[in-house]
Amino acid sequence: MKWTKAGAAFLAAVVMTSSLSLGAFADDDYENQISDLNSKYDELEKQQQALQKEIDKAKTEKERQQAVKAQIDNQIVSTRSQISVLSDKISLLEENLQETTSELEQKEYDISENYALMKQRLRVMYTTGNASVLGLLIGADSFTEYLTRTEVASKVAEHDQEMLEAMRAELLDIKAFKEEIETNKTEIESAKGQLAGKQAQLDDQLKETEGQIQDLAALEAQIKNNQEEIEAQQKQIQAEIDEIYKQINSVGEYTGGVMGWPLVGFNTVTSNFGWRFNHTDYHTGIDIAGKNAAGQGVYGKPIVAASDGVVAFTQTNYVVGKGYGIYLIIDHGGGISTLYGHTSGLAVKVGDQVKRGQTIAYVGSTGWSTGPHLHFEVRVDGKYVNPWGYLK
């Protein structure tokens, strides 16, 4: 079968314009992630409102201050969680915006290229008179060739229709991409506004704590008035801690040397290691509190890892007035670990590798505490030792 030069050019143009691609832009996984983050944020907002209602019930300023003291840890933990959720949402939205913008640019490029190829094909058909479908059929030398060319012409017509439909679909995709981009931008701006609002709310909550200090007199009075009950609680807490340490497998050797101070800028040790309150309570660590050089209170300030290690345990649920509250344990190798107690919230999770000086938590007053402070312990093979032997 013989083809004219013009006929060959015609078919080449057909082939060139067959490279259109269609793809779905909807990402179910992305939508599910956004939905989950929105649900988490809404649940945290309900918690915030419930906590605020407890404070608003107070009838006098004294009652209000007591309510604030009782609820402020939970409020700060909840607000920090909301900030974390919003940050994750913004990152996800911005990532999707970047991907969608890239796909839009690619689709605009593809449709531009295919439109140029279509115009090239039309020019070929126009300049080579017999390159039309009719010319292909009339130029057949035999009936067999005529039937073959008829089949080709049918496929060309079918291809033309498919190509046009594909281009229409591409244009609809481009329109949808542009709409999604605008929606993404709006959602990002909204989430950033919420984030700024929550940062301001956290600042206000932290200001509520500025006057709070660890009340050692109140702590001593509690022990004196309820010594048997508190001793029983302490034994229970230590038994629980012992069980936790049995589950921790210290990895590697300890190579950290002298440990760094866990609460930068705050050097007041309000309660030391060992017996206190006339031998009525044995303190298993040191308490750090006070104010920094700028006169700022300790509440909410960042707690840092004393040495490199792995987060071996975290506790985020607690009973008011009992135990270490929200706390974590870091394994430093060689059986040596550190414990950070009574925090208002954690910045790390189990399994995280942490570096000396890295923020791991924030000072609070959760658990058995009469005011904001950091309870810091060093343990060797699960047994508490005097931290001063390791601190700089």
Side-chain angles (χ1 to χ4, degrees):
M1 178 175 66
K2 297 179 181 178
W3 288 92
T4 63
K5 184 176 181 181
F10 172 79
L11 290 177
V14 170
V15 172
M16 283 191 292
T17 54
S18 65
S19 60
L20 286 172
S21 62
L22 291 173
F25 67 88
D27 187 341
D28 290 340
D29 185 52
Y30 163 74
E31 295 294 340
N32 289 336
Q33 289 180 65
I34 290 293
S35 178
D36 287 345
L37 289 171
N38 286 337
S39 296
K40 287 179 183 177
Y41 182 86
D42 291 342
E43 183 59 34
L44 289 166
E45 189 63 23
K46 288 178 183 177
Q47 291 178 17
Q48 283 279 9
Q49 292 170 2
L51 292 169
Q52 190 58 47
K53 282 181 181 177
E54 291 299 315
I55 294 173
D56 293 341
K57 286 180 183 177
K59 295 179 180 179
T60 66
E61 182 59 24
K62 182 178 180 180
E63 288 177 348
R64 183 185 179 282
Q65 290 299 326
Q66 290 174 337
V68 167
K69 188 173 182 180
Q71 301 294 345
I72 197 67
D73 278 301
N74 292 329
Q75 281 193 314
I76 289 173
V77 170
S78 179
T79 303
R80 280 207 174 99
S81 295
Q82 284 183 301
I83 289 171
S84 177
V85 168
L86 287 170
S87 296
D88 288 345
K89 181 179 177 180
I90 289 169
S91 296
L92 191 59
L93 287 167
E94 288 180 336
E95 182 181 344
N96 187 67
L97 175 62
Q98 184 176 1
E99 290 176 359
T100 306
T101 301
S102 295
E103 289 184 45
L104 171 63
E105 291 172 351
Q106 183 61 49
K107 281 191 176 291
E108 287 179 331
Y109 173 79
D110 288 344
I111 202 167
S112 175
E113 287 291 297
N114 282 294
Y115 179 60
L117 290 172
M118 178 180 282
K119 289 196 294 184
Q120 179 182 340
R121 171 181 164 184
L122 292 174
R123 279 196 298 270
V124 169
M125 292 173 66
Y126 176 77
T127 58
T128 58
N130 65 340
S132 65
V133 173
L134 181 60
L136 288 174
L137 298 179
I138 293 174
D141 293 331
S142 66
F143 182 66
T144 301
E145 186 177 346
Y146 174 82
L147 291 177
T148 302
R149 293 193 178 191
T150 298
E151 184 180 353
V152 171
S154 176
K155 290 187 179 296
V156 168
E158 183 181 339
H159 168 269
D160 285 346
Q161 186 61 36
E162 290 177 354
M163 183 182 64
L164 289 171
E165 291 301 322
M167 291 185 72
R168 288 192 188 97
E170 291 281 359
L171 288 171
L172 288 174
D173 276 0
I174 287 173
K175 180 182 177 183
F177 275 127
K178 288 181 177 178
E179 290 173 352
E180 185 177 355
I181 286 170
E182 290 306 312
T183 299
N184 256 9
K185 288 179 179 178
T186 300
E187 289 187 8
I188 288 170
E189 289 306 310
S190 175
K192 285 183 176 179
Q194 284 180 300
L195 181 61
K198 285 299 168 184
Q199 291 284 8
Q201 183 178 349
L202 179 61
D203 290 343
D204 289 340
Q205 288 168 344
L206 291 173
K207 285 178 183 177
E208 291 275 10
T209 70
E210 285 180 356
Q212 292 188 21
I213 58 172
Q214 185 182 20
D215 192 338
L216 293 177
L219 190 65
E220 185 175 7
Q222 285 181 16
I223 294 172
K224 183 178 180 181
N225 296 330
N226 305 282
Q227 188 163 353
E228 288 186 5
E229 180 183 348
I230 288 175
E231 282 181 357
Q233 287 181 9
Q234 291 298 88
K235 285 182 180 179
Q236 180 184 351
I237 294 298
Q238 288 306 319
E240 291 173 1
I241 289 287
D242 289 342
E243 287 302 313
I244 290 168
Y245 270 97
K246 286 179 183 178
Q247 305 303 316
I248 296 175
N249 296 316
S250 187
V251 179
E253 297 297 320
Y254 178 70
T255 57
V258 177
M259 292 183 178
W261 192 249
L263 195 53
V264 179
F266 295 86
N267 302 313
T268 302
V269 175
T270 55
S271 192
N272 225 316
F273 175 84
W275 286 107
R276 59 182 180 177
F277 309 140
N278 295 318
H279 279 69
T280 56
D281 179 66
Y282 195 89
H283 196 220
T284 55
I286 61 173
D287 289 349
I288 307 169
K291 294 186 176 182
N292 60 15
Q296 298 172 324
V298 74
Y299 201 110
K301 293 301 184 290
I303 299 165
V304 302
S307 187
D308 295 356
V310 179
V311 179
F313 180 82
T314 62
Q315 178 62 272
T316 55
N317 297 318
Y318 68 97
V319 177
V320 175
K322 293 184 179 181
Y324 292 94
I326 299 173
Y327 70 97
L328 75 153
I329 297 170
I330 297 177
D331 171 42
H332 303 287
I336 296 175
S337 64
T338 49
L339 182 150
Y340 309 76
H342 307 299
T343 77
S344 64
L346 308 180
V348 291
K349 62 184 183 301
V350 172
D352 283 355
Q353 297 273 350
V354 296
K355 292 291 184 182
R356 175 188 176 119
Q358 176 183 335
T359 297
I360 55 172
Y362 304 91
V363 176
S365 186
T366 55
W368 185 40
S369 170
T370 57
H373 69 284
L374 167 64
H375 173 83
F376 176 75
E377 289 186 9
V378 175
R379 296 204 177 208
V380 178
D381 296 327
K383 306 298 181 183
Y384 51 79
V385 296
N386 193 334
W388 292 114
Y390 291 85
L391 284 170
K392 169 173 164 174

PDB file of all heavy atoms in Angstrom, residues 254-268:
ATOM      1  N   TYR A 254      26.361   5.389  78.607  1.00  0.00           N
ATOM      2  CA  TYR A 254      26.177   6.818  78.878  1.00  0.00           C
ATOM      3  C   TYR A 254      27.459   7.561  78.533  1.00  0.00           C
ATOM      4  O   TYR A 254      28.525   7.272  79.067  1.00  0.00           O
ATOM      5  CB  TYR A 254      25.825   7.053  80.343  1.00  0.00           C
ATOM      6  CG  TYR A 254      25.675   8.529  80.667  1.00  0.00           C
ATOM      7  CD1 TYR A 254      24.600   9.245  80.178  1.00  0.00           C
ATOM      8  CD2 TYR A 254      26.639   9.195  81.428  1.00  0.00           C
ATOM      9  CE1 TYR A 254      24.460  10.596  80.446  1.00  0.00           C
ATOM     10  CE2 TYR A 254      26.502  10.548  81.711  1.00  0.00           C
ATOM     11  CZ  TYR A 254      25.417  11.238  81.210  1.00  0.00           C
ATOM     12  OH  TYR A 254      25.278  12.583  81.469  1.00  0.00           O
ATOM     13  N   THR A 255      27.341   8.511  77.607  1.00  0.00           N
ATOM     14  CA  THR A 255      28.519   9.281  77.184  1.00  0.00           C
ATOM     15  C   THR A 255      28.278  10.784  77.318  1.00  0.00           C
ATOM     16  O   THR A 255      29.003  11.585  76.739  1.00  0.00           O
ATOM     17  CB  THR A 255      28.864   8.956  75.709  1.00  0.00           C
ATOM     18  OG1 THR A 255      27.717   9.243  74.884  1.00  0.00           O
ATOM     19  CG2 THR A 255      29.244   7.495  75.550  1.00  0.00           C
ATOM     20  N   GLY A 256      27.249  11.142  78.090  1.00  0.00           N
ATOM     21  CA  GLY A 256      26.838  12.546  78.166  1.00  0.00           C
ATOM     22  C   GLY A 256      27.686  13.428  79.058  1.00  0.00           C
ATOM     23  O   GLY A 256      27.584  14.654  79.009  1.00  0.00           O
ATOM     24  N   GLY A 257      28.514  12.824  79.918  1.00  0.00           N
ATOM     25  CA  GLY A 257      29.317  13.632  80.831  1.00  0.00           C
ATOM     26  C   GLY A 257      28.427  14.363  81.826  1.00  0.00           C
ATOM     27  O   GLY A 257      27.357  13.890  82.214  1.00  0.00           O
ATOM     28  N   VAL A 258      28.869  15.550  82.223  1.00  0.00           N
ATOM     29  CA  VAL A 258      28.087  16.359  83.155  1.00  0.00           C
ATOM     30  C   VAL A 258      26.834  16.855  82.435  1.00  0.00           C
ATOM     31  O   VAL A 258      26.898  17.338  81.311  1.00  0.00           O
ATOM     32  CB  VAL A 258      28.923  17.558  83.661  1.00  0.00           C
ATOM     33  CG1 VAL A 258      28.080  18.449  84.567  1.00  0.00           C
ATOM     34  CG2 VAL A 258      30.152  17.065  84.404  1.00  0.00           C
ATOM     35  N   MET A 259      25.686  16.731  83.087  1.00  0.00           N
ATOM     36  CA  MET A 259      24.428  17.132  82.462  1.00  0.00           C
ATOM     37  C   MET A 259      24.228  18.647  82.491  1.00  0.00           C
ATOM     38  O   MET A 259      24.774  19.346  83.355  1.00  0.00           O
ATOM     39  CB  MET A 259      23.248  16.465  83.192  1.00  0.00           C
ATOM     40  CG  MET A 259      23.191  14.970  83.011  1.00  0.00           C
ATOM     41  SD  MET A 259      21.743  14.243  83.829  1.00  0.00           S
ATOM     42  CE  MET A 259      21.940  12.525  83.371  1.00  0.00           C
ATOM     43  N   GLY A 260      23.445  19.125  81.535  1.00  0.00           N
ATOM     44  CA  GLY A 260      23.114  20.548  81.484  1.00  0.00           C
ATOM     45  C   GLY A 260      21.931  20.869  82.383  1.00  0.00           C
ATOM     46  O   GLY A 260      21.141  19.984  82.732  1.00  0.00           O
ATOM     47  N   TRP A 261      21.812  22.125  82.759  1.00  0.00           N
ATOM     48  CA  TRP A 261      20.714  22.569  83.623  1.00  0.00           C
ATOM     49  C   TRP A 261      19.397  22.480  82.843  1.00  0.00           C
ATOM     50  O   TRP A 261      19.302  22.977  81.723  1.00  0.00           O
ATOM     51  CB  TRP A 261      20.968  23.993  84.080  1.00  0.00           C
ATOM     52  CG  TRP A 261      20.077  24.467  85.193  1.00  0.00           C
ATOM     53  CD1 TRP A 261      19.105  25.411  85.114  1.00  0.00           C
ATOM     54  CD2 TRP A 261      20.105  24.023  86.551  1.00  0.00           C
ATOM     55  NE1 TRP A 261      18.513  25.591  86.333  1.00  0.00           N
ATOM     56  CE2 TRP A 261      19.106  24.737  87.246  1.00  0.00           C
ATOM     57  CE3 TRP A 261      20.867  23.079  87.253  1.00  0.00           C
ATOM     58  CZ2 TRP A 261      18.854  24.554  88.610  1.00  0.00           C
ATOM     59  CZ3 TRP A 261      20.612  22.897  88.612  1.00  0.00           C
ATOM     60  CH2 TRP A 261      19.620  23.631  89.272  1.00  0.00           C
ATOM     61  N   PRO A 262      18.366  21.833  83.423  1.00  0.00           N
ATOM     62  CA  PRO A 262      17.145  21.568  82.661  1.00  0.00           C
ATOM     63  C   PRO A 262      16.155  22.719  82.530  1.00  0.00           C
ATOM     64  O   PRO A 262      15.181  22.615  81.786  1.00  0.00           O
ATOM     65  CB  PRO A 262      16.504  20.410  83.439  1.00  0.00           C
ATOM     66  CG  PRO A 262      16.965  20.627  84.845  1.00  0.00           C
ATOM     67  CD  PRO A 262      18.345  21.171  84.741  1.00  0.00           C
ATOM     68  N   LEU A 263      16.408  23.803  83.254  1.00  0.00           N
ATOM     69  CA  LEU A 263      15.477  24.939  83.201  1.00  0.00           C
ATOM     70  C   LEU A 263      16.289  26.224  83.060  1.00  0.00           C
ATOM     71  O   LEU A 263      16.596  26.907  84.039  1.00  0.00           O
ATOM     72  CB  LEU A 263      14.602  24.962  84.458  1.00  0.00           C
ATOM     73  CG  LEU A 263      13.346  25.837  84.439  1.00  0.00           C
ATOM     74  CD1 LEU A 263      12.470  25.536  83.239  1.00  0.00           C
ATOM     75  CD2 LEU A 263      12.560  25.659  85.718  1.00  0.00           C
ATOM     76  N   VAL A 264      16.641  26.537  81.821  1.00  0.00           N
ATOM     77  CA  VAL A 264      17.548  27.652  81.539  1.00  0.00           C
ATOM     78  C   VAL A 264      16.980  28.974  82.038  1.00  0.00           C
ATOM     79  O   VAL A 264      15.821  29.325  81.754  1.00  0.00           O
ATOM     80  CB  VAL A 264      17.827  27.733  80.023  1.00  0.00           C
ATOM     81  CG1 VAL A 264      18.749  28.904  79.714  1.00  0.00           C
ATOM     82  CG2 VAL A 264      18.428  26.424  79.526  1.00  0.00           C
ATOM     83  N   GLY A 265      17.799  29.716  82.774  1.00  0.00           N
ATOM     84  CA  GLY A 265      17.387  31.041  83.255  1.00  0.00           C
ATOM     85  C   GLY A 265      16.740  31.020  84.624  1.00  0.00           C
ATOM     86  O   GLY A 265      16.511  32.084  85.218  1.00  0.00           O
ATOM     87  N   PHE A 266      16.449  29.846  85.146  1.00  0.00           N
ATOM     88  CA  PHE A 266      15.819  29.732  86.470  1.00  0.00           C
ATOM     89  C   PHE A 266      16.714  28.855  87.343  1.00  0.00           C
ATOM     90  O   PHE A 266      16.856  27.652  87.105  1.00  0.00           O
ATOM     91  CB  PHE A 266      14.424  29.120  86.354  1.00  0.00           C
ATOM     92  CG  PHE A 266      13.461  29.993  85.602  1.00  0.00           C
ATOM     93  CD1 PHE A 266      13.395  29.929  84.213  1.00  0.00           C
ATOM     94  CD2 PHE A 266      12.651  30.902  86.264  1.00  0.00           C
ATOM     95  CE1 PHE A 266      12.525  30.732  83.508  1.00  0.00           C
ATOM     96  CE2 PHE A 266      11.778  31.714  85.567  1.00  0.00           C
ATOM     97  CZ  PHE A 266      11.712  31.641  84.187  1.00  0.00           C
ATOM     98  N   ASN A 267      17.321  29.481  88.353  1.00  0.00           N
ATOM     99  CA  ASN A 267      18.343  28.795  89.135  1.00  0.00           C
ATOM    100  C   ASN A 267      17.966  28.556  90.595  1.00  0.00           C
ATOM    101  O   ASN A 267      18.758  28.027  91.363  1.00  0.00           O
ATOM    102  CB  ASN A 267      19.652  29.601  89.085  1.00  0.00           C
ATOM    103  CG  ASN A 267      20.142  29.792  87.656  1.00  0.00           C
ATOM    104  OD1 ASN A 267      20.176  28.837  86.878  1.00  0.00           O
ATOM    105  ND2 ASN A 267      20.478  31.021  87.288  1.00  0.00           N
ATOM    106  N   THR A 268      16.752  28.951  90.970  1.00  0.00           N
ATOM    107  CA  THR A 268      16.336  28.805  92.360  1.00  0.00           C
ATOM    108  C   THR A 268      15.874  27.373  92.631  1.00  0.00           C
ATOM    109  O   THR A 268      14.913  26.895  92.019  1.00  0.00           O
ATOM    110  CB  THR A 268      15.202  29.773  92.710  1.00  0.00           C
ATOM    111  OG1 THR A 268      15.633  31.107  92.466  1.00  0.00           O
ATOM    112  CG2 THR A 268      14.791  29.625  94.165  1.00  0.00           C
TER     113      THR A 268
END
